Amino acid sequence: FRFHICDNTVPSSQHIRHGRPFWTPRRHLLHMTWCYRPKWLWEYDHEDLKWDVVAGITVAAMVIPQGMAYGTLAGLPPVYGLYTAFVPLIMYALLGTSRHLSTGPVAIVSMMVRETAMVLGSGDLPDAKVDVALQLGLWCGVVLLLLGLLGLGRLVDFLAEGVVGGFVTGAAVLIALSQMKGALAIQADTTGPLHKVIYNVAHGLWHAGPNTLWTGLFTLWALMVLVGCRYTRLLQTTPWIPHRFLVVVAATVATWIWELHDTAGIVISGHVSAGLPEFALPRISGYRVMLPRAFLVAGVAFIESIAIAQKFATENCYKVDASQELITLGVGNLLGCCFGAYPSTGSLSRTAINEKSGGRTQLSSLITAAVVGLTLLFFTGCIYYVPTCVLSAVVIEAVIGLLDFRQVKMTWNVRPVDATVWVAAFAGTLFAGVEEGILLGVGDSLLGVAIYGPRAL
């Protein structure tokens, strides 16, 4: 945001364009106002409008099926994924410093929300899980906002890359396995460490019914199409084609025409209430238990978001402010939880699509939010026949891109002690849990700094 101290004279366009505070020495300062608008709005070039519109609609076609899938991954009704892609996205467009970052629901944070809801929620009651998810969003917003106001955004520079890489890769494996319940229509608890999930999935397959075969084949078809589209030359040259959206639409139409939910036992999303989310303050309780988890979720959300923002800022020759990003994510989560959103952060896949589709400014994010809002208002009836197994396939295909074992190999060749941080975070996430994996990786990195000095990691 730009702040200008101004009197009753009209500032020159040069002052506004370059954002320099101006002072008119006319006798004395007659009147002082704080005028604030987003920086990109002051400098907006109308030639960018067509590119922002195309990019915004393209990202919307991607975030609608992804949001529903991530809402299911978080253990909530699918519509809460769309709520998370609405208000936080608007707030980032108004306050954020990255031109391309697309915020909303992501796989890693959704999994952390689900685990928190399983621990602190009252059993399998949907309303209890929703309360926990919204309350977690509230406290994440508070933590991020306070860190941003204290100017602590630069602390991310001291975090070893191996912590993030190992955690994300381990979490991606757990996320893919957690989708086996919906992808195969089996009764299994797919939360917890790796060995527990594998045992529960195998036990569920052993006692599976006939619906598992048809659901598995439907999931396999969707996954083959999605993975094939990811690596085809056509989509690499034309990334604006919304292949995930088209796959979900095709599966939904097939389910509706042939009534696969009755004939083959395909589980569908069911009724979704139409309309934008209503304003409601989340219920606050058990903050002593919630705050430690909120710190972990907020830390992961910020690290993931700032890494993506800095990557695309470097490629497109502009800068982002880490502390302002903290404030923006904090405000987005604080307001978002009042409109049904669970914790949100930047998405690598949607940001890449936004940039490759020609997005120039944050206006593309506002257009994406507008399309999501129109979907909530007028097209929720179309969500009724969306197969949940296809949403599971969308999640599995999305987390494939998070698997990165090359980092530990390259790091091992350069400095083996740095690779131990990646291995510690990866193994801790897989066999102990998400929170334990983060803490183990951070502890290993701090130990490396204590032994080898601050330049070791």
Side-chain angles (χ1 to χ4, degrees):
F1 273 64
R2 313 190 149 185
F3 294 91
H4 298 286
I5 302 177
C6 53
D7 62 0
N8 58 353
T9 61
V10 179
S12 66
S13 60
Q14 182 179 5
H15 287 135
I16 294 179
R17 178 168 293 276
H18 296 286
R20 294 191 294 266
F22 56 86
W23 181 275
T24 304
R26 181 184 291 179
R27 293 186 303 173
H28 56 78
L29 191 62
L30 299 178
H31 135 207
M32 183 171 66
T33 58
W34 293 96
C35 309
Y36 55 94
R37 290 185 186 178
K39 178 181 178 181
W40 61 268
L41 187 59
W42 283 100
E43 303 176 344
Y44 194 79
D45 186 352
H46 295 290
E47 294 294 328
D48 297 337
L49 180 59
K50 60 181 179 181
W51 298 105
D52 286 336
V53 171
V54 171
I57 296 175
T58 303
V59 175
M62 182 178 184
V63 75
I64 290 172
Q66 265 196 352
M68 296 170 57
Y70 291 154
T72 305
L73 174 61
L76 309 174
V79 71
Y80 282 91
L82 298 181
Y83 293 162
T84 309
F86 184 55
V87 172
L89 190 58
I90 295 175
M91 297 313 302
Y92 188 86
L94 296 177
L95 298 173
T97 60
S98 172
R99 301 173 190 171
H100 300 98
L101 186 67
S102 179
T103 61
V106 297
I108 302 296
V109 174
S110 297
M111 184 185 68
M112 298 180 74
V113 170
R114 182 193 65 183
E115 293 198 350
T116 302
M118 291 291 293
V119 173
L120 302 182
S122 301
D124 293 329
L125 297 177
D127 292 340
K129 293 182 179 180
V130 170
D131 288 341
V132 171
L134 299 185
Q135 189 178 165
L136 184 62
L138 171 67
W139 290 116
C140 284
V142 171
V143 171
L144 290 167
L145 183 60
L146 289 178
L147 292 177
L149 293 175
L150 293 174
L152 300 179
R154 301 296 297 178
L155 288 178
V156 71
D157 295 336
F158 297 96
L159 185 65
E161 293 183 3
V163 177
V164 182
F167 163 72
V168 169
T169 303
V173 175
L174 292 181
I175 290 172
L177 289 174
S178 71
Q179 295 306 296
M180 293 298 104
K181 179 179 180 180
L184 300 174
I186 59 176
Q187 298 297 322
D189 180 13
T190 54
T191 61
L194 178 65
H195 55 279
K196 178 183 176 182
V197 174
I198 292 177
Y199 174 80
N200 291 339
V201 169
H203 185 268
L205 286 173
W206 182 260
H207 296 86
N211 296 339
T212 299
L213 176 62
W214 300 113
T215 304
L217 291 175
F218 206 19
T219 305
L220 181 62
W221 165 80
L223 192 59
M224 289 177 63
V225 174
L226 290 170
V227 175
C229 290
R230 171 187 281 269
Y231 296 105
T232 55
R233 183 173 299 179
L234 174 64
L235 287 183
Q236 290 176 358
T237 55
T238 55
W240 48 270
I241 296 179
H243 63 286
R244 296 180 182 88
F245 181 76
L246 295 177
V247 169
V248 173
V249 169
T252 303
V253 172
T255 304
W256 172 58
I257 292 177
W258 289 297
E259 297 182 349
L260 298 180
H261 56 294
D262 291 331
T263 58
I266 302 297
V267 181
I268 58 177
S269 298
H271 175 71
V272 175
S273 58
L276 297 176
E278 298 180 355
F279 178 84
L281 292 174
R283 183 176 57 87
I284 300 177
S285 63
Y287 63 92
R288 294 183 179 179
V289 181
M290 187 69 69
L291 270 178
R293 294 180 177 270
F295 267 100
L296 289 174
V297 176
V300 171
F302 174 63
I303 292 169
E304 186 172 359
S305 182
I306 193 62
I308 298 169
Q310 289 178 344
K311 168 183 170 60
F312 286 90
T314 302
E315 293 178 355
N316 292 274
C317 303
Y318 65 90
K319 295 182 180 181
V320 294
D321 185 344
S323 295
Q324 180 64 28
E325 291 294 297
L326 274 171
I327 295 174
T328 303
L329 291 175
V331 173
N333 281 289
L334 274 175
L335 291 181
C337 71
C338 300
F339 291 93
Y342 63 84
S344 62
T345 185
S347 166
L348 176 59
S349 59
R350 296 195 296 271
T351 302
I353 293 299
N354 187 24
E355 192 257 350
K356 291 180 180 178
S357 300
R360 303 287 179 83
T361 68
Q362 290 89 326
L363 180 62
S364 61
S365 294
L366 288 179
I367 294 172
T368 299
V371 175
V372 173
L374 291 175
T375 302
L376 290 170
L377 283 173
F378 303 110
F379 300 105
T380 52
C382 301
I383 301 176
Y384 183 87
Y385 288 100
V386 174
T388 57
C389 62
V390 175
L391 297 180
S392 297
V394 171
V395 174
I396 295 172
E397 184 267 337
V399 300
I400 288 177
L402 300 178
L403 298 173
D404 185 11
F405 295 97
R406 293 175 298 177
Q407 181 184 5
V408 65
K409 182 179 179 181
M410 292 186 297
T411 306
W412 182 267
N413 294 331
V414 176
R415 190 176 178 86
V417 67
D418 297 352
T420 61
V421 176
W422 192 99
V423 174
F426 175 74
T429 302
L430 279 183
F431 299 104
V434 175
E435 293 84 359
E436 292 80 358
I438 298 174
L439 295 177
L440 187 59
V442 172
D444 194 9
S445 66
L446 293 177
L447 182 62
V449 170
I451 297 176
Y452 298 101
R455 300 294 297 176
L457 301 173

